[in-house]
Amino acid sequence: MLQVSQRGQNIPASPFRKMTPFADAAKRRGLTVHHLNIGQPDIETPPAIMAAVQQVDIRVLEYSPSAGHLSYRLKLADYYQRANINVTAEDILITTGGSEAILFALMCCLNPGDELIVPEPFYGNYTAFAVAAGITLIPVTSHIEDGFALPPLADFEQVITPRTRAIMICNPNNPTGYVYSREELMGVLELCRKHHLFLLSDEAYREFCYDAPYISALHLPNADEHVVLLDTISKRYSACGARIGAFVTKNKDLQEAALRFAQMRVSPPGLAQLLGEAATDLPDSYFDLTKAEYQARRDLLVARLRAMPGVVCPIPGGAFYVLCHLPVDDTDRFAQWLLEIFEYRGETLMVSPAAGFYATPTLGHQQIRLAYVVNQDTINRAMDCLELALQQYPGRVQLEASVSYTSEASSPA
C-alpha cells in the first residue's frame, strides 16, 4: 500500500492560509473578504525596482552563481553596513526567499534529532521547517500579559539539553510585533556562548520599529561565530513575490556548508536578484512614508480592538501584526464561522487563528493574529465586521480576569 512519508504527514497546515478554502467559498457567494490573515502589504512595490526587471536587456536568462550575483551581494553588504551591520559580500549568500535562508540555517546548524529553542508564539512556518529538517522545536512561552516580552532566561536554561544546538528569534517579532531590546538580546547571546549554541536571528522587519530602536543580533559584541542573520526583501519593499532572501553569517564554516546546500538547488532567482539589487539604491528616506503609514494603521487597529468588550491587545512595537485575545471559545472555529456564516453589509474578514503560532498544544486557542497590511478604510470596515461578529458569535465566552496587558502597553504611541 502506497503511503505518504511520515514527514509529509507531519507538516502542519499554514496558520495563515488554512482558512483559504472557506474564504474562496465566501467570495463565490458574493462576499467581500478583508484579508487580515497574511502579511501581504498593499503598499506599491517601488516602481524603480520593478523597472530594473522590466527594462533589462537579457538574451539568455542564465544561472547565477549559487551564492547569488556578486554585484548584488556587494550592494547588499553596503545596505547592511548602513544599518551598522559589519558584513562583507563574502558573508552573504542569496536565497530563494527568507524561507530558504531559514531552512539552510536549520540544516547547517542542527542534525536530525537535535533541538531548536524558540520563544512562542513564533512564525508559524518554523514548525514546518523543523519537520522538514528532522529536528525538534522546543518552545519557551512568552505571555500576552507582559506584551510578549522575551521569557526569562531561566526558562531557556530549563529546557537546554545535550541535544540543544540553537536558539531562534524573530526581531521584530512575527506574530506579536514585539521588538527585543539590546539587554534581552545580550541575554540570549550569553546563553548561546555559555552552552555553545548558534543564534538564528530572523530580521525581516528591521525597517518597521515604531517605539524602540532596531537591534540586530550582529550588532552585539563577540557574536560573529554564533549568529546567523536570516533576511528577505519581501516585507521591506513590498516585494513578497520576488522570493529573494539572504543567509548572513561571519562564521566561515557555516557559510561554506550553506553554499553546498545552495549548490544543490543550483541558483537563486535571476530576475529577482536584479530587483533586489535595484532596491539597495533606494534612498533611506524611502522607508519614512511606509513606516509612518504602518504606524498609523497600527494605532487605528489597536484602538479599534481595545474598544471591543473582552478583547485584549498589546501594542506591537514593530513589524505589521497584532496578536490579540478574543472572548471566544476557539478561534479556529470562530475564523471558520466568520467565513461560512457571518456577513455584514456583504463583507466579512479572514484572520489567522493563533494556535498555529504555538508549539504548546493548549495555547493560542483564544488568540488571533491580524496583519495591518491593508489601508485604513479597509481596517475600519474589517473592524466593523469583527465588532459585530463578536456580539453574534454563538461561542462567545467571558474574558478571563487574568488576561490583561501591562501599563507600558496601555495606549498607542
Side-chain angles (χ1 to χ4, degrees), residues 115 117 155-162 164 167 191 195 197:
E115 296 172 353
I117 298 175
D155 292 359
F156 287 83
E157 288 269 17
Q158 191 172 358
V159 297
I160 292 174
T161 76
T164 306
I167 297 173
L191 273 181
H195 295 280
L197 308 177

Side-chain angles (χ1 to χ4, degrees), residues 120-137:
E120 66 176 358
F122 48 74
Y123 174 51
N125 281 348
Y126 289 167
T127 303
F129 293 133
V131 171
I135 65 174
T136 302
L137 194 155

